[in-house]
């Protein structure tokens, strides 16, 4: 399999963490990519018209995107361990959606203050996205005490989302405001899969 890859993408990290946990990482060739919100990476476009990472090309040539689809495919290859059955499945998927939503809002803030020219930046837009980040962290604070050592697509996504806040929003004191989330993340982030996928500083 081939994975179009950026070491700073939290969505790529989510896929790689899951692959590591399932013992599939050795089957995946990582193809460095330079996707960004303005200029699509033309090396990706032939297989993914969005030109975004992550994009996975399977051994039989099927192109899969986005991270949710890729993770479910990898989980099927790895024995179905990260997408539980029954009621637990819906809980895991809801937690995945919470983590993805936090990431979506954080990336929109980053794009607003990064590639967008200063004269075109919209403070109300940034405020609205920051409010989503806060609301997601408040919900995570309510949930984290019940996670224990749970490992599924929900906790993987939430772990990668908090890791992204550390990487791109270092000035945000989320640990001081959300101690239960911080305690859970300290344990989860110590996993080998998380340490192997830390973004470059």
């Amino acid at each position: 399999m081939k994975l179009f890859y950026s070491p700073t993408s939290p969505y790529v990290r989510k896929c790689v963490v899951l692959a590591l946990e399932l013992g599939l990482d050795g089957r995946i060739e990582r193809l460095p990519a330079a996707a960004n919100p303005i200029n699509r990476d033309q090396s990706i476009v032939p297989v993914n018209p969005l030109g975004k990472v992550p994009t996975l090309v399977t051994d039989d040539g099927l192109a899969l995107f986005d991270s949710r689809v890729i993770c479910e495919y990898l989980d099927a290859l790895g024995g179905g361990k990260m997408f539980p059955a029954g009621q637990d499945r819906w809980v895991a998927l809801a937690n995945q959606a919470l983590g993805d939503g936090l990431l979506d809002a954080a990336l929109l803030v980053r794009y607003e203050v990064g590639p967008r020219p200063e004269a075109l930046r919209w403070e109300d837009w940034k405020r609205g996205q920051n409010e989503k980040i806060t609301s997601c962290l408040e919900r995570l604070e309510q949930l984290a005490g019940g996670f224990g050592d749970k490992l599924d697509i929900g906790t993987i996504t939430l772990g990668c989302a908090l890791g992204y806040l550390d990487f791109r929003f270092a000035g945000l004191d989320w640990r001081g405001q959300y101690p239960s989330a911080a305690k859970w993340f300290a344990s989860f982030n110590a996993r080998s899969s998380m340490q192997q996928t830390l973004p470059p500083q």
Side-chain angles (χ1 to χ4, degrees):
M1 294 178 284
K2 301 180 187 299
L3 179 69
F4 288 92
Y5 170 89
S6 168
T8 61
S9 166
Y11 300 104
V12 168
R13 187 182 189 193
K14 175 179 156 185
C15 297
V16 176
V17 166
L18 185 138
L20 285 164
E21 293 288 352
L22 293 171
L24 296 173
D25 188 57
R27 294 177 55 183
I28 300 172
E29 178 186 356
R30 300 183 193 181
L31 303 178
N36 71 56
I38 299 169
N39 299 309
R40 294 177 304 157
D41 186 325
Q42 294 303 313
S43 70
I44 307 173
V45 171
V47 293
N48 176 357
L50 299 172
K52 296 172 66 175
V53 294
T55 296
L56 181 77
V57 180
T58 69
D59 288 338
D60 56 4
L62 178 65
L64 299 176
F65 46 91
D66 57 9
S67 66
R68 287 165 290 195
V69 176
I70 294 170
C71 284
E72 194 151 3
Y73 176 80
L74 293 174
D75 190 57
L77 287 183
K81 300 174 184 177
M82 300 300 171
F83 287 77
Q87 183 71 11
D88 289 343
R89 174 178 174 81
W90 303 116
V91 172
L93 291 178
N95 288 335
Q96 177 181 217
L98 179 65
D100 280 340
L102 195 164
L103 282 173
D104 290 346
L107 279 166
L108 288 172
V109 171
R110 173 131 178 101
Y111 292 159
E112 190 70 19
V113 300
R116 189 181 300 278
E118 187 171 359
L120 300 178
R121 293 174 190 168
W122 187 10
E123 285 303 312
D124 286 346
W125 173 268
K126 190 169 75 170
R127 175 186 49 76
Q129 303 310 315
N130 278 318
E131 287 175 358
K132 292 178 187 178
I133 293 171
T134 298
S135 294
C136 287
L137 288 169
E138 288 171 350
R139 176 62 60 86
L140 177 53
E141 178 70 5
Q142 296 169 1
L143 297 172
F147 286 163
D149 60 358
K150 181 186 293 187
L151 178 67
D152 60 23
I153 189 57
T155 55
I156 288 172
T157 306
L158 289 166
C160 290
L162 292 178
Y164 186 75
L165 293 184
D166 283 350
F167 178 50
R168 294 298 195 197
F169 294 79
L172 178 64
D173 180 27
W174 67 266
R175 285 176 176 79
Q177 299 176 69
Y178 308 104
S180 292
K183 181 179 179 181
W184 168 75
F185 182 66
S187 175
F188 191 84
N189 197 44
R191 299 186 70 87
S192 175
S193 61
M194 292 292 286
Q195 291 298 304
Q196 290 181 62
T197 56
L198 288 170
Q201 298 299 317

